[in-house]
Amino acid sequence: MEIEDSSADLNPSGPKCIQQGMNTLLRNSRVRQVVRAGVMIVVAVVLMMVPRVAMAHAVLVQSTPTINATVEGPEVAVTMKFSLRVDGARSTVLLSTSDGKSQPLALDRQSTPDTLTTHATKLGPGDYAIHWQVLATDGHVTRGQIPFRVK
């Protein structure tokens, strides 16, 4: 004769009792609402963190000349302000003309960690573009261009 131990079924803190208690709790609509609200809060916090990660790159927030501006020549002062600190020693700026020629522009010493300045000289009337590449202090490289016209 085989004897089966049924003491787990009689124990009010046994696995079956706990599982039945959890099922009863989850059936309760109020508890489900609280759990659902908690999950939504966690998801919202995670989603709010995503833009901060995406904004880790240095983004050009202001420039002189502005994009598609028409400026007076022959000398043009160039200022670029970024959303983050940039490493001026590891950043580059090129000036290109509409005929495809380009020349590097020497960067001035950084007066603020988020701004680069330089100047272009001997510019005749025509279309130009400033091509920039910066290294942000977070290690990300960002590139862009600023087209402009000299009248």
Side-chain angles (χ1 to χ4, degrees), residues 1-21:
M1 181 167 152
E2 191 172 304
I3 299 175
E4 188 174 309
D5 184 11
S6 62
S7 61
D9 292 336
L10 300 176
N11 185 351
S13 63
K16 285 186 180 180
C17 185
I18 291 173
Q19 185 177 12
Q20 288 174 348

Side-chain angles (χ1 to χ4, degrees), residues 127-151:
D127 294 330
Y128 296 88
I130 297 164
H131 298 271
W132 53 268
Q133 176 178 306
V134 296
L135 175 65
T137 54
D138 67 356
H140 291 105
V141 174
T142 309
R143 297 172 185 87
Q145 64 180 345
I146 305 166
F148 67 99
R149 171 172 278 160
V150 174
K151 60 178 174 174

Side-chain angles (χ1 to χ4, degrees), residues 96-139:
S96 65
T97 61
S98 58
D99 63 358
K101 295 180 184 175
S102 65
Q103 67 182 32
L105 297 177
L107 290 169
D108 300 332
R109 188 169 181 260
Q110 280 184 276
S111 58
T112 59
D114 63 350
T115 303
L116 297 177
T117 58
T118 186
H119 57 279
T121 59
K122 301 178 184 175
L123 299 183
D127 294 330
Y128 296 88
I130 297 164
H131 298 271
W132 53 268
Q133 176 178 306
V134 296
L135 175 65
T137 54
D138 67 356

